[in-house]
Amino acid sequence: MTERRVFAPAKVNLTLHVTGQRADGYHLLDSLVVFADVGDWLDVSLGHGLTVSGPMAAGVPTDGRNLVLKAAALMGVEARIALEKHLPAAAGIGGGSSDAAAVLRALRDLTGGEVPGAGLSLGADVPVCLAGRAAYMRGIGEVVEPVDGLPDLAAVLVNPGVEVPTGAVFKGLARKDNPAMTPLDRSDLIGWLRAQRNDLEGPAREVQPVISDVLEAIEATGSVLARMSGSGATCFGIYEDRAQAEAAAQALGRPGWWVRAATLR
Ligand SMILES: C[C@](O)(CO)[C@H](O)COP(=O)(O)OP(=O)(O)OC[C@H]1O[C@@H](n2ccc(N)nc2=O)[C@H](O)[C@@H]1O
Ligand SMILES: Nc1ncnc2c1ncn2[C@@H]1O[C@H](COP(=O)(O)OP(=O)(O)OP(=O)(O)O)[C@@H](O)[C@H]1O
């Protein structure tokens, strides 16, 4: 087999605490990250050329700006990639980062090569996406520590169709030195999550006020928790079970909104 078909799941920051800032401007993070059963699909082989198709392909670069080609360059090879986009871009769920990580995994497999620096040079979210499983993400994203024993979470993902540039949201942070997460309480995961934060939610709402509408709409469907992922604008709701998440996804349909029921793990 000289071709690999790989899945690039949406990344969800269940928590995202900003605890400091380095001299180079990058922020120190303390985040619990999980992955959804919703994502992009890629066919990867050694060769040349990129095609982008699928329901969310509009506006995604098909040249060297695409992170999947940057990922191949990082591995020191040329790749032939067919990318099927299902995730919105610049949405806080790591679409580009997860695509890049999927290519790194496929090329590692096809070439036997190592991934330099776990892909951090491609983006702060790439190392955790390369791990591809529930993990704490710390440092600026380079410290990834797998977390075992979390239950599957029934969820909806909701993006209101507006792009949010990550850099602008970090710039809007009033405080850089916020408290870290408290120790994970697996016996009361939802209660624990409610007591944690996404520190980027405030500045992201300033950039895109519609995020507040999304969170209110999710809360109105009876979610046990509603939060924003990453730097937004995608928000998630957690539900008692998958049937409730599916019903919520139905209820949350609005023109221009991207809504998916998902299992997070
Ligand atoms: C917000 C998160 O999605 C949380 O998972 C990530 O930290 C961002 O990951 P990403 O999109 O891969 O980010 P990058 O492409 O590396 O960085 C985009 C911009 O976000 C800011 N940035 C990013 C990561 C970080 N730890 N501190 C930062 O200040 C920088 O201004 C940077 O120029
Ligand atoms: N494979 C890709 N898929 C989507 N966008 C890409 C890709 N490669 C490069 N881009 C560019 O990167 C920009 C950011 O999109 P991307 O989906 O990577 O953000 P994101 O990772 O969701 O952001 P966040 O870090 O907040 O989760 C887009 O505006 C797009 O132009």
Side-chain angles (χ1 to χ4, degrees):
M1 270 286 273
T2 53
E3 186 178 81
R4 295 285 182 275
R5 184 164 176 79
V6 277
F7 184 57
K11 162 224 75 164
V12 173
N13 301 91
L14 289 178
T15 68
L16 180 51
H17 295 213
V18 179
T19 57
Q21 189 172 29
R22 297 195 323 194
D24 66 0
Y26 270 79
H27 293 80
L28 297 173
L29 309 175
D30 189 29
S31 178
L32 176 58
V33 176
V34 293
F35 292 89
D37 58 351
V38 172
D40 299 335
W41 283 96
L42 301 95
D43 293 308
V44 182
S45 57
L46 295 176
H48 180 78
L50 169 64
T51 59
V52 182
S53 65
M56 301 305 280
V60 174
T62 54
D63 56 17
R65 286 171 300 168
N66 197 302
L67 279 171
V68 299
L69 293 182
K70 292 185 180 174
L74 183 68
M75 293 298 284
V77 296
E78 274 208 282
R80 183 177 183 81
I81 299 169
L83 167 58
E84 202 181 292
K85 260 335 266 189
H86 294 268
L87 300 177
I93 48 176
S97 312
S98 195
D99 292 347
V103 168
L104 293 174
R105 222 178 284 130
L107 291 176
R108 184 172 59 189
D109 197 23
L110 287 167
T111 66
E114 296 277 306
V115 178
L120 180 70
S121 63
L122 301 172
D125 270 342
V126 177
V128 77
C129 289
L130 189 62
R133 47 164 303 183
Y136 295 121
M137 181 177 81
R138 299 199 176 98
I140 66 162
E142 79 283 16
V143 181
V144 176
E145 183 192 333
V147 175
D148 291 317
L150 290 183
D152 285 3
L153 296 172
V156 290
L157 303 178
V158 183
N159 182 280
V162 294
E163 296 203 349
V164 177
T166 304
V169 173
F170 274 106
K171 273 203 189 76
L173 266 172
R175 285 190 67 109
K176 320 279 186 183
D177 56 341
N178 304 289
M181 293 186 282
T182 59
L184 174 62
D185 179 1
R186 286 183 175 74
S187 67
D188 179 20
L189 180 61
I190 299 300
W192 178 81
L193 285 171
R194 283 197 190 113
Q196 313 305 312
R197 314 179 305 276
N198 180 343
D199 288 326
L200 296 182
E201 205 174 288
R205 284 180 200 241
E206 296 279 318
V207 174
Q208 285 294 355
V210 68
I211 291 168
S212 303
D213 303 336
V214 173
L215 288 167
E216 271 174 36
I218 293 173
E219 275 161 9
T221 60
S223 61
V224 294
L225 182 80
R227 286 285 158 85
M228 190 184 83
S229 177
S231 51
T234 306
C235 298
F236 61 91
I238 305 289
Y239 297 83
E240 300 282 357
D241 56 38
R242 178 82 189 204
Q244 284 188 29
E246 301 274 359
Q250 288 287 328
L252 283 161
R254 309 271 192 285
W257 285 22
W258 176 90
V259 182
R260 295 288 181 278
T263 299
L264 307 180
R265 59 171 65 98

